[in-house]
Structure formats: structure tokens, C-alpha cells
Amino acid sequence: MKFSANIGFLYTELPLPERIRAAKRDGFDAVECHFPYDVPAAEMKAALDETGFAMLGLNTIPGNPAAGDFGLAALPDRREDAAAAVRQAVAYGAAIGARNVHVMAGRTDGGAAAEAAYRETLSLACDLAGAAGMGVLIEPINHRDVAGYHLARVEHAAEIVEALGRDNLRIMFDCYHTQIMQGDLTKRFAAHLPMIGHVQIAAVPDRGEPDGGEICFERLLASFADAGWEAPVGAEYKPRGGDTKAGLGWLAPLRAALA
């Protein structure tokens, strides 16, 4: 099995382009990121070309975190901001050859107006990303870490994917978030596999390296492979000791166990 380094959380002592190079040196197979927009796209593209890595995905901007924003797409009174965030993400992603854009929903009251705004923004994202040959991802995020996040259950995400009927819209199945909110990862993954576009892992409950916590990723990822998953798995965790390289003892053994 192949693994992607999420350079939003890993190698944070380095500039983003250098994180890509560090991930290559340390044995990852691809990269993904959160918010690369302060780095010129040409610099990111150069690092990707040098390493031969694919950028599996990036996020739309969260808005103003200091004001409590954690995404904009489902906020009825922020439609213009949400659309601008989607255009920014697609344009940047296209410039660096990213495969997907994760459209962040944001915190809402969970009502019909929020859902309508979310679906409207996702439709725009699918149009723009599709024209650029990219996919769109939506990610259920747990309410312990992000209270009030509009999308928290895999089944809700599946309802949206089915309702919109867009070929390039898929679910980001984050094992950390889904274990906290719902559990039953093996069966929930298999049931939604045709709709899943990316997988991420981290230990539960501390979001550290995936060799600790309550999930046995050796068995879980083996079940994903048995179900038919062949794409890289995203390592989106926060190193417990703060040093990414020092905490990479999990990578080779897990890859070998899943070979």
C-alpha cells in the first residue's frame, strides 16, 4: 500500500516546497496539503516535478479562523466568499496539477438553508474542477474537534453525492474523524467504497502517528485493500513529539504488513 504525506501537519518546520522533498526522502509516495496559497504555485510545481509526486488534494480556505470560521461552503450568508474560495482552490490546484479540491463546509446550524448553500457551492466546485480535470472531495469532520461542522457523518456525505449526481464528487473517508463520530469503519468503508475518493489516517484519540491509539491500522487498511482500495492513503496526523522524521517508525512496518 502507498502512503501520502499531509504536509499541512507534517514537516512543519520547513517551507511547503521543502516538505515535499522531505516526504520523498523519507519514503512517502505522494503528498497532499491544506492551504498552500501563500506559496507561489510555480515553487510548489517545481518541487512536485522534481520528486515525481502527485499532489492528491488541497483545501479551500477556511475563512477567518479567528472569527470561528472553519470553511465557507455551507454558510448561506457567505455565498460569494465561498465561491471565491472555490475559484482560488481550483485555479491553484490546476496550476500545480492537483488531483482534488476538498471543499470545506464550515460550522452551521445544520438547517435546510445551510444544506442548500452547501450543495450550491459544491455544484459550482464540480463544474470548475471538472473543467480542469480535477475532482471534488467532501469530508465528514467530527464535532469534538470542530463543534457545529455541517458535515459530520459519512451517510450525510453519501446523500449529497447521490443527490448531486456529479461524476467528480467523492467522499474523503478520514478514519480519525469517522471513528470518533460513528465507528464501524470496516463496514462503513466497504458500504460506501464507490463514493470514496480519498482515505486519511491518524491515531484515535490523540491524532498522532497511526501506530498508537485504538485503531489497528494494519488490520483496518488490509480490510480496505480487500474491499478494493488501491490508491494512496493519506497520513494526516500530528506528530506526538513535534518531529515528523523521528516519528516515522510506523511507515515501513505498516507498508510491509500490507504488501
Side-chain angles (χ1 to χ4, degrees):
M1 184 168 283
K2 295 182 178 181
F3 293 92
S4 167
N6 189 298
I7 57 173
F9 285 162
L10 303 182
Y11 306 105
T12 54
E13 73 279 4
L14 300 173
L16 276 176
E18 291 306 316
R19 298 182 202 183
I20 297 172
R21 298 181 175 98
K24 175 70 171 183
R25 290 193 297 269
D26 287 340
F28 285 98
D29 305 289
V31 289
E32 56 202 66
C33 63
H34 293 152
F35 316 111
Y37 306 107
D38 290 337
V39 178
E43 294 182 20
M44 294 290 282
K45 183 68 162 53
L48 292 167
D49 289 345
E50 178 186 322
T51 58
F53 272 0
M55 176 63 74
L56 299 186
L58 47 80
N59 294 352
T60 55
I61 57 171
N64 181 5
D69 288 347
F70 201 81
L72 302 168
L75 278 58
D77 60 345
R78 304 283 293 280
R79 279 180 166 85
E80 291 185 6
D81 292 339
V86 166
R87 292 188 182 96
Q88 175 191 38
V90 171
Y92 192 101
I96 66 171
R99 294 183 180 176
N100 296 290
V101 169
H102 166 216
V103 177
M104 298 185 67
R107 306 175 196 261
T108 76
D109 61 5
E115 183 71 3
Y118 191 32
R119 296 187 184 197
E120 178 183 311
T121 303
L122 289 175
S123 293
L124 172 66
C126 289
D127 287 342
L128 297 178
M134 299 166 63
V136 174
L137 297 173
I138 54 176
E139 178 184 22
I141 292 178
N142 81 79
H143 283 170
R144 186 173 72 197
D145 289 355
V146 187
Y149 195 75
H150 184 75
L151 184 66
R153 297 179 298 104
V154 173
E155 289 75 14
H156 183 189
E159 289 171 10
I160 293 170
V161 171
E162 184 173 2
L164 294 185
R166 308 301 290 268
D167 290 342
N168 62 335
L169 179 62
R170 293 288 183 271
I171 299 167
M172 179 132 65
F173 191 96
D174 187 308
C175 296
Y176 168 78
H177 291 301
T178 302
Q179 172 69 3
I180 291 171
M181 285 300 295
Q182 298 184 273
D184 202 14
L185 298 178
T186 301
K187 289 186 177 181
R188 186 160 273 114
F189 178 86
H192 295 93
L193 179 59
M195 295 182 175
I196 293 173
H198 189 46
V199 173
Q200 292 179 328
I201 60 172
V204 178
D206 69 358
R207 209 172 191 181
E209 287 85 348
D211 56 357
E214 65 193 47
I215 302 174
C216 176
F217 281 106
E218 180 177 331
R219 290 198 297 269
L220 182 67
L221 294 182
S223 77
F224 287 7
D226 288 344
W229 185 256
E230 298 179 344
V233 169
E236 193 196 32
Y237 65 86
K238 300 177 181 180
R240 294 185 184 92
D243 184 334
T244 298
K245 190 174 182 65
L248 284 178
W250 65 271
L251 180 56
L254 184 56
R255 178 183 280 122
L258 298 167

